[in-house]
Structure formats: structure tokens, C-alpha cells
Amino acid sequence: KYIQHILDVRQKLSGRYKSGLEGIPVSYQEIAPKTQYNHSYFPVVFENEAVLLKVLENLNLYNIFPRRYFFPSLSKLPYIGGQCTPIAEDISHRILCLPLYDKLSDEEVDMICRIIKRAIRY
């Protein structure tokens, strides 16, 4: 009975992340039109792995633990081996899933965005 509320909150927080991260060189997953997206994750793609690692380190200093959810690329798993997937491999080194859950506050999202911006700029 709470699912619609949870989905609405997650969608709002995703929009807040995008607004809060404006002006820095990041990109986002493209969601096809007419998709009923559930906002289960908020993946951010950085320019390179060095930037991602710097952001990750800075967030961890504040006890914020985003996930490198898509790392390593599935093509690197031993039981899948032998496939060449350069795009997936590249993205897996640059993508980070930021915290996103229905009890996350606007202030926490704003703080996460400030930490990320500061890490990238300095």
C-alpha cells in the first residue's frame, strides 16, 4: 500500500540529485520515453575512473557509501569470459550509484551533491 508514495519520493530525490549536480561534468542513464522507471538506483557516470575514485573517497569521509554497482563489468567475470565489451568495460570504471531510498532527506541529497562538486572542483 506504500509503493506509490515510495516511487514518488524516489523520483523527486532523483530530480533533486540532477539539479544539485548541474554544472559538473557527469552524465546519466538515458531512460526511454514512456518508460515507467522505478528510480531504484541513481547511477552517475563520471569523466574517468580517477574522478570517480576521488568522489568515492570524499563521500566515504562523511560515512556516505555509494556503490560501484556495475563494477567490474559482467564480461570480466570468470564464468562469462571471452567476450569483448569495450563500452561496458569503460562505463563500469566510471559509474557510481548514489544513495537513493525513500527515507533519504532533501538535506542529505544536497550534502551529497556539495561533496561531489567539491571533490570534482578541487
Side-chain angles (χ1 to χ4, degrees):
K1 69 181 181 179
Y2 303 107
I3 190 65
Q4 192 57 55
H5 171 73
I6 291 169
L7 293 173
D8 292 345
V9 169
R10 292 171 80 97
Q11 181 177 11
K12 179 184 75 80
L13 292 172
S14 292
R16 192 169 189 98
Y17 267 129
K18 282 190 177 182
S19 294
L21 295 174
E22 281 184 16
I24 60 171
V26 296
S27 58
Y28 307 100
Q29 175 184 15
E30 289 185 33
I31 306 299
K34 299 182 182 179
T35 299
Q36 290 183 323
Y37 185 60
N38 65 7
H39 299 275
S40 57
Y41 302 101
F42 192 78
V44 177
V45 182
F46 295 94
E47 288 183 295
N48 56 55
E49 188 174 28
V51 172
L52 177 146
L53 292 173
K54 186 176 180 183
V55 166
L56 184 60
E57 178 182 8
N58 277 266
L59 288 169
N60 288 173
L61 289 173
Y62 291 89
N63 293 318
I64 300 166
F65 301 103
R67 293 183 60 195
R68 292 189 75 178
Y69 191 81
F70 305 103
F71 182 81
S73 173
L74 291 178
S75 61
K76 295 300 180 187
L77 298 177
Y79 53 87
I80 297 179
Q83 297 192 24
C84 182
T85 57
I87 295 171
E89 184 66 23
D90 173 55
I91 295 293
S92 75
H93 286 274
R94 300 185 299 120
I95 193 165
L96 189 65
C97 288
L98 300 181
L100 183 60
Y101 50 94
D102 65 299
K103 301 297 183 206
L104 188 66
S105 70
D106 290 346
E107 293 77 19
E108 289 167 320
V109 169
D110 295 346
M111 179 182 68
I112 291 167
C113 292
R114 283 192 307 272
I115 293 167
I116 292 171
K117 284 182 162 182
R118 187 173 51 233
I120 290 175
R121 290 181 178 151
Y122 303 107

